[in-house]
Amino acid sequence: MAQDIALRPVVDPALKDAERALLEQSADGLFPATLPLPEEPRLGGRTKADIWTALGASAVCALLPVTILWALIGVWPGLAVGIAAQAGLIWVGVQFGFQAFILTVVGVHLLAWLLIVALGCGTDERQRVARLRHGRYYLAEDFGDDSLRELLGHSPLRRMERAQAAVTAVLESQVDREGLLDDIANDVTLPAQQYEIAQRLAELTRLARRVRTAAGDASGARVEEVLRTQRQALRLSSSALEERVEALERYAENTRAADAAYREWEAVQELEQLGEDMHELVVNTVRDELAVAEIEGLADRSRLQDLHRILDEAREAGLLATRFADEPADRRSGDSGRA
């Protein structure tokens, strides 16, 4: 079942959980697997803007550490270190004079600037992992666009979106969260299936692009014959992939049906529990009526006797109705005739 959603990065499930979580956040800063990895930026990705920003932050850190360290190293550690550093600067100024205070601030400024530039600027952990694991995740750019329909008979990107939507529907279903499905198989098998489909679709896209580039504007019977043969091969492989995607979609549809059935079952369970509460409510209602009758019957106890009589009549009527309902139809008709 196709859905209009943006494709998220499809990551190799064999990667470590921490790396996979970083890469699955978004496609920002990642590199398509089917394209060469760009050269690593100079200075580890540090820019002039980083250097100037670090210079300002280190100046504040040196002069008023209590106001900024909490934002750099965490609230409580930053406040503790900031207060201690601020107290140390004041102590230096009081004990050794203004000149010593300025020299200390300048020294701390330079040290903080170097640390911020070295540790806080440039390529972050996610970008590092994106380069290190290039080729083990796929982006939308790896699956071409609608221009490949002529060769493949479909849009690789659209097919990958369908597969990812089906896998997500199963893994995020209520019945899967409740452990009513084979959660081990789903958590392991479905991401592996999704990654294999991504690999196959990316390879199909790569080959289709090469065929289109090689053919170019050339024409002629020989070119058409070769193109027809290659188009058939591409579409044969594409058809096999379509069967896998459709199987995932059927599983997702069955899971949605199971979710609906489970929600219905939960509603029935809750209503049955409410039935017990309703029974208690009726009992309490009778008790309330008895209490009211007793209060009002202090002057006239015959009303309480009337209530008992009415309740007894209701009980007898209920017993008779139950017994009448249990009797065979012919016996009831015979009794009616004798009457």
Side-chain angles (χ1 to χ4, degrees), residues 10-337:
V10 183
V11 184
D12 185 352
L15 292 179
K16 296 179 180 179
D17 292 343
E19 292 182 339
R20 193 167 66 251
L22 283 175
L23 296 173
E24 287 176 345
Q25 289 177 6
S26 71
D28 296 338
L30 305 187
F31 311 99
T34 52
L35 296 179
L37 186 65
E39 292 184 5
E40 189 168 0
R42 297 176 57 189
L43 302 177
R46 295 173 181 83
T47 64
K48 292 181 179 180
D50 291 335
I51 294 174
W52 286 110
T53 301
L55 192 63
S58 60
V60 178
C61 190
L63 190 60
L64 297 171
V66 71
T67 65
I68 195 170
L69 282 180
W70 64 270
L72 296 177
I73 63 175
V75 177
W76 296 116
L79 284 177
V81 176
I83 291 173
Q86 196 73 66
L89 286 175
I90 295 173
W91 179 80
V92 168
V94 172
Q95 291 293 322
F96 302 101
F98 183 73
Q99 185 176 2
F101 172 80
I102 293 298
L103 290 174
T104 302
V105 168
V106 171
V108 173
H109 181 198
L110 292 175
L111 179 61
W113 177 67
L114 290 174
L115 290 175
I116 292 174
V117 169
L119 303 178
C121 299
T123 303
D124 59 16
E125 178 64 15
R126 185 168 184 269
Q127 293 170 327
R128 186 191 68 81
V129 173
R131 286 187 163 275
L132 181 64
R133 302 306 182 190
H134 179 248
R136 298 185 67 179
Y137 57 84
Y138 294 92
L139 310 179
E141 293 88 336
D142 292 312
F143 305 111
D145 51 33
D146 288 348
S147 64
L148 297 178
R149 283 182 181 274
E150 182 182 355
L151 288 172
L152 298 176
H154 68 89
S155 167
L157 177 59
R158 188 62 174 168
R159 185 164 289 179
M160 190 66 242
E161 288 174 347
R162 289 168 50 203
Q164 189 174 79
V167 170
T168 301
V170 174
L171 295 180
E172 293 183 355
S173 65
Q174 185 176 5
V175 289
D176 189 64
R177 291 195 304 270
E178 296 292 339
L180 300 178
L181 299 177
D182 187 357
D183 54 338
I184 296 178
N186 285 336
D187 291 342
V188 175
T189 303
L190 291 184
Q193 288 274 354
Q194 178 182 249
Y195 186 67
E196 289 177 9
I197 291 173
Q199 287 179 308
R200 296 280 303 280
L201 283 173
E203 180 64 12
L204 275 175
T205 301
R206 186 186 68 82
L207 292 175
R209 283 170 171 166
R210 289 190 62 184
V211 168
R212 186 177 59 185
T213 301
D217 297 330
S219 60
R222 180 58 179 165
V223 172
E224 289 299 325
E225 181 182 352
V226 174
L227 276 177
R228 183 169 55 254
T229 302
Q230 293 183 348
R231 187 183 295 115
Q232 289 176 351
L234 289 171
R235 293 196 174 191
L236 179 63
S237 179
S238 177
S239 298
L241 272 179
E242 175 64 16
E243 292 179 3
R244 292 182 67 171
V245 174
E246 288 178 351
L248 285 175
E249 288 179 326
R250 285 193 297 271
Y251 186 21
E253 197 61 37
N254 290 338
T255 302
R256 293 188 188 96
D259 261 357
Y262 185 68
R263 286 192 293 269
E264 181 182 1
W265 177 82
E266 282 186 320
V268 170
Q269 293 294 106
E270 187 172 353
L271 288 173
E272 288 180 350
Q273 291 177 357
L274 284 175
E276 297 177 0
D277 294 338
M278 291 297 179
H279 175 74
E280 185 67 22
L281 179 64
V282 172
V283 173
N284 289 334
T285 300
V286 173
R287 290 173 182 168
D288 291 340
E289 291 176 355
L290 290 173
V292 171
E294 184 176 358
I295 293 171
E296 294 181 350
L298 291 176
D300 184 6
R301 291 187 176 276
S302 63
R303 296 178 62 186
L304 181 60
Q305 294 173 356
D306 289 341
L307 178 61
H308 280 299
R309 178 178 54 79
I310 293 172
L311 290 173
D312 289 341
E313 290 176 355
R315 293 190 188 96
E316 291 177 2
L319 292 173
L320 288 173
T322 303
R323 187 181 309 158
F324 185 79
D326 293 338
E327 290 179 354
D330 56 350
R331 181 176 176 180
R332 290 201 302 270
S333 61
D335 291 344
S336 177

